Amino acid sequence: ALTEKLNSVLTQLRRRGALTERDLDEGLRQVRLVLLEADVHYKVVKKFIDDVKQKALGAQILESLTPGQQIVKIVRDELVQILGGTRADLHLTQWPAVILLVGLQGSGKTTMAGKLAKYLAEREQKRVLLAAADLQRPAAIEQLRQLGAKLGYPVYAQGRTPLEVAEGALQEARKSSFDVLVVDTAGRLHIDEELMSELQEMKQRLQPAETLLVVDAMTGQEAVTIAQTFDQRLKLTGIILTKLDGDARGGAALSMVTITGRPIKFVGVGEKLEDLEVFHPDRMAERILG
Amino acid sequence: VLQPGRRLDDALLAQLEEILITADVGVEATTEIVQALKARAAARGVQDSSAVMELLKEILKERLRPAEGALHLRSDGQPTVFLILGVNGSGKTTTIAKLAQHLKDDFGKRKIIFAAGDTFRAAAVEQLGIWAERVGAQLVHHKTGSDPSAVAFEAVERALREGADALFIDTAGRLHTKHNLMEELKKINRVVEKRLGRAMDERLLILDGTTGQNAISQAKLFHEAVSVTGIVVTKLDGTAKGGSILQIASALKLPIKLIGVGERADDLREFKADEFVEALL
Ligand SMILES: Nc1nc2c(ncn2[C@@H]2O[C@H](COP(=O)(O)OP(=O)(O)OP(=O)(O)O)[C@@H](O)[C@H]2O)c(=O)[nH]1
Ligand SMILES: Nc1nc2c(ncn2[C@@H]2O[C@H](COP(=O)(O)OP(=O)(O)OP(=O)(O)O)[C@@H](O)[C@H]2O)c(=O)[nH]1
Ligand SMILES: [Mg+2]
Ligand SMILES: [Mg+2]
């Protein structure tokens, strides 16, 4: 783990008391490697290390900790601060509240639509309508239909285009007094002009309370570009990180939150519909630091 | 990407390091590559940045050329049997359709069977069924919740009985860290091998090209479980560079057979080290 690594590296610098700049540089060199191995973006790591160094040099250091422990504490606190900075609950301000799920192919959107529906229905007693607006992937509508059937929630899928389905679902939600409408969309590349424009149009027409980017926790360096592009085109309200039940370190979380400032609201921790958790910044920090 | 005429100094090396790391090559592999670059540049007296870049390409191509590998297609009249595996959402089901299309178009393989070995996920069978229809393959499936090994077994029997050219066994996405799911995959492999009296011709790991360093852990564990014969890297039509394959190629010696560059049945390309390196840089 990071503490052991730092302690062995800083063994020669076994002085107690305040960290010297030399201890700090040596220790932060190790932290940099750990973060890069965890998939945190190169530029985000650079900024993070610079910021931590500034904080550490000016900080009140606890006399009882070794230099290694001191560095880990500062780093972990800074990580938690960045990851947990903004409040991360769903703001379902309008009625019906629309939640729009977007993201790259295979990130876990359709499954997440089911998970969020279940969460809101069971935890908050909401009446939820699901909209199957992915008309492009083979059996995507069927997939959401089966999830809806399993949960006992209706799935709206009428329309010849994704926009028609989304708008039709919103009308249905209003007409039949649903509290929440969760819209599943087709996976798409952030560089696909046509599909990104379609999403902008959909957001414009739905005016969602939440626009959530669903991202695979094993995403590498490209997480920055992906999040930034989706955010610039759509103005996200949050991020959902999936497949955290694996062993991916999830450094993409730090990259995306740092670059977009959008909070991570939920995490997917399995394939079943109950495998949804609220995001915990401290647990994520631990995971990234390995 | 690098201004020409710059000299080989620490700043230039740092810039090259950034290019490699942001391409998902990973810290360890990047350090190794940059060291090799410094040594080779010194040995050849290379100083100018554009010459250094060519040297870097040369080193990367050398590392990746051994990873090129063609599909093992049978020519003895027996069906070529493929096991398609990988983590959730990596592109397995879609890649099966692409592989079938590739075999039909480029190798004249007419009679192809798909085995719906994902008996767990919602609409997995339907999804494969639509692809089967589109590319003209036959589908073998049982109902959701049934044993994937049983589906695979029936598909093999049918492939042998009907003299199919190829059989593709689709499996459910699974995280490599889940012991029981990895055991299930091993069982499918064993059951099919036993019935065939030989190993499957290809056990292809489908790797999502946007994956970071976790790709290495995936390759390692799937290889340990079923002895992977090759990798298909998908979603390289996006902006991710798939640099993790450098580490996978050198550490595990697994061939990269093909790459996925889109969502249609014809979006499959051969893996070519030179092209890959040019795109990476
Ligand atoms: N282990 C694990 N698997 C997950 C999780 N979330 C989703 N999955 C799986 O990931 C795969 C892809 O999920 P989907 O919901 O189909 O992803 P998608 O984003 O809708 O995919 P596209 O519509 O093709 O873009 C499926 O096998 C899911 O069961 C998770 O948190 N953990
Ligand atoms: N852009 C792009 N999308 C791809 C590529 N390969 C697959 N996809 C998409 O990725 C998503 C997931 O593909 P699937 O074939 O369902 O993946 P899978 O591995 O079978 O998923 P599970 O069975 O749920 O584990 C779909 O939306 C595909 O269209 C590719 O090369 N490029
Ligand atoms: Mg989907
Ligand atoms: Mg599949």
Side-chain angles (χ1 to χ4, degrees):
Chain A
L2 183 59
T3 314
E4 282 82 59
K5 217 180 221 181
L6 286 184
N7 277 333
S8 69
V9 161
L10 299 177
T11 311
Q12 313 86 11
L13 318 166
R14 187 120 289 202
R15 293 175 295 283
R16 299 243 125 171
L19 277 175
T20 65
E21 187 161 354
R22 190 160 147 263
D23 293 346
L24 199 51
D25 282 343
E26 194 50 38
L28 290 182
R29 202 182 349 263
Q30 283 303 314
V31 174
R32 178 177 174 272
L33 292 181
V34 166
L35 294 177
L36 288 174
E37 283 164 0
D39 288 327
V40 181
H41 191 272
Y42 189 89
K43 287 193 158 65
V44 171
V45 171
K46 186 158 192 322
K47 177 166 190 318
F48 180 84
I49 297 293
D50 289 345
D51 292 348
V52 164
K53 180 168 176 179
Q54 289 316 309
K55 286 217 160 114
L57 287 178
Q60 276 290 69
I61 302 298
L62 297 169
E63 289 274 333
S64 58
L65 300 181
T66 66
Q69 288 171 331
Q70 289 170 21
I71 293 174
V72 172
K73 174 160 172 43
I74 295 168
V75 166
R76 188 185 290 120
D77 289 351
E78 181 68 4
L79 263 182
V80 173
Q81 164 77 353
I82 295 170
L83 292 171
T86 353
R87 267 195 69 82
D89 32 5
L90 292 176
H91 300 133
L92 304 180
T93 48
Q94 9 118 297
W95 189 87
V98 180
I99 299 177
L100 182 62
L101 297 180
V102 305
L104 258 60
Q105 292 88 348
S107 63
K109 299 174 293 300
T110 305
T111 309
M112 189 48 63
K115 287 177 177 179
L116 283 174
K118 178 179 169 74
Y119 179 87
L120 292 170
E122 294 181 2
R123 302 273 186 108
E124 304 189 9
Q125 283 70 52
K126 303 279 189 210
R127 265 174 44 81
V128 186
L129 176 65
L130 289 159
D134 179 356
L135 271 55
Q136 105 100 359
R137 168 173 153 152
I141 296 173
E142 178 60 18
Q143 185 182 1
L144 193 61
R145 275 213 172 105
Q146 288 185 12
L147 296 183
K150 196 170 201 163
L151 294 168
Y153 311 149
V155 175
Y156 186 95
Q158 292 173 36
R160 290 157 309 160
T161 67
L163 287 171
E164 277 185 24
V165 174
E167 287 197 294
L170 182 55
Q171 283 182 18
E172 174 63 22
R174 285 179 180 141
K175 182 163 133 274
S176 306
S177 310
F178 282 96
D179 302 308
V180 180
L181 168 63
V182 180
V183 181
D184 182 25
T185 64
R188 68 204 62 213
L189 296 178
H190 51 299
I191 53 171
D192 187 323
E193 185 50 47
E194 189 181 333
L195 290 184
M196 291 304 284
S197 297
E198 172 189 271
L199 221 41
Q200 269 178 300
E201 182 69 21
M202 197 178 288
K203 167 143 189 171
Q204 180 61 24
R205 295 194 197 175
L206 293 176
Q207 296 292 316
E210 292 280 352
T211 303
L212 304 172
L213 179 66
V214 179
V215 183
D216 194 323
M218 61 184 89
T219 307
Q221 296 282 306
E222 218 49 29
V224 159
T225 310
I226 294 164
Q228 197 163 30
T229 309
F230 271 86
D231 189 42
Q232 282 168 353
R233 298 291 300 256
L234 300 177
K235 191 148 172 293
L236 303 171
T237 57
I239 296 166
I240 298 182
L241 211 53
T242 61
K243 308 177 203 172
L244 268 173
D245 44 319
D247 63 348
R249 298 272 291 281
L254 178 63
S255 304
M256 296 189 294
V257 173
T258 299
I259 293 293
T260 65
R262 307 299 180 190
I264 297 174
K265 302 212 171 189
F266 290 99
V267 296
V269 293
E271 294 193 71
K272 303 210 236 48
L273 295 174
E274 62 249 34
D275 295 329
L276 176 71
E277 287 177 6
V278 166
F279 178 67
H280 290 283
D282 49 353
R283 284 188 214 164
M284 193 75 220
E286 284 297 323
R287 183 184 183 115
I288 290 174
L289 292 178
Chain B
V1 74
L2 291 181
Q3 305 150 312
R6 278 185 58 190
R7 308 203 67 241
L8 176 56
D9 55 12
D10 283 348
L12 180 58
L13 288 175
Q15 206 176 337
L16 292 176
E17 178 190 69
E18 178 171 356
I19 290 173
L20 292 173
I21 290 182
T22 56
D24 284 320
V25 171
V27 179
E28 197 183 318
T30 296
T31 305
E32 215 176 294
I33 289 163
V34 171
Q35 289 312 327
L37 178 63
K38 276 171 82 172
R40 195 173 294 197
R44 297 194 199 169
V46 168
Q47 285 283 11
D48 166 73
S49 59
S50 48
V52 168
M53 201 50 156
E54 286 309 307
L55 215 50
L56 176 59
K57 285 185 188 177
E58 187 182 302
I59 289 172
L60 294 178
K61 287 176 185 178
E62 278 171 26
R63 288 184 173 231
L64 281 181
R65 274 191 206 117
E68 287 177 3
L71 290 175
H72 300 140
L73 300 178
R74 304 190 77 83
S75 48
D76 62 353
Q78 290 286 301
T80 300
V81 183
F82 295 78
L83 181 68
I84 305 300
L85 51 125
V87 303
N88 308 74
S90 63
K92 297 176 291 301
T93 305
T94 311
T95 301
I96 285 174
K98 293 177 185 179
L99 287 167
Q101 192 69 57
H102 177 44
L103 260 57
K104 290 191 127 195
D105 295 345
D106 305 322
F107 298 97
K109 303 288 184 191
R110 289 274 104 78
K111 192 163 170 48
I112 302 185
I113 298 178
F114 290 174
D118 181 351
T119 56
F120 168 77
R121 208 206 70 210
V125 175
E126 290 89 333
Q127 183 187 7
L128 188 64
I130 292 171
W131 278 118
E133 241 175 273
R134 287 183 187 180
V135 304
Q138 304 278 312
L139 183 72
V140 172
H141 69 99
H142 295 178
K143 64 187 193 327
T144 302
S146 46
D147 180 2
S149 294
V151 181
F153 185 85
E154 182 190 326
V156 171
E157 296 251 283
R158 182 164 165 185
L160 291 171
R161 187 175 63 244
E162 297 182 4
D165 292 316
L167 165 63
F168 290 93
I169 301 172
D170 193 9
T171 62
R174 70 203 64 227
L175 294 182
H176 47 298
T177 47
K178 303 214 163 164
H179 179 76
N180 57 328
L181 296 182
M182 294 304 277
E183 287 304 306
E184 175 187 84
L185 187 64
K186 286 185 197 174
K187 180 178 171 203
I188 297 170
N189 193 30
R190 270 199 312 276
V191 164
V192 172
E193 273 199 8
K194 190 154 179 280
R195 180 63 191 84
L196 282 177
R198 59 177 173 78
M200 282 192 253
D201 301 283
E202 289 284 357
R203 292 172 297 285
L204 299 177
L205 169 63
I206 310 303
L207 189 56
D208 185 325
T210 64
T211 307
Q213 297 310 295
N214 197 249
I216 296 154
S217 168
Q218 291 177 27
K220 182 164 172 295
L221 293 185
F222 276 110
H223 189 44
E224 277 172 24
V226 297
S227 192
V228 167
T229 59
I231 294 176
V232 178
V233 184
T234 62
K235 308 179 195 173
L236 288 182
D237 46 318
T239 52
K241 309 283 181 154
S244 63
I245 68 165
L246 276 154
Q247 181 71 0
I248 292 173
S250 64
L252 298 172
K253 308 274 179 275
L254 292 175
I256 313 293
K257 304 226 169 178
L258 298 147
I259 65 176
V261 293
E263 303 191 65
R264 299 185 321 249
D266 55 1
D267 287 326
L268 191 68
R269 303 266 178 284
E270 264 189 80
F271 168 73
K272 284 271 173 276
D274 290 11
E275 284 172 27
F276 186 88
V277 171
E278 293 293 332
L280 190 107
L281 300 175

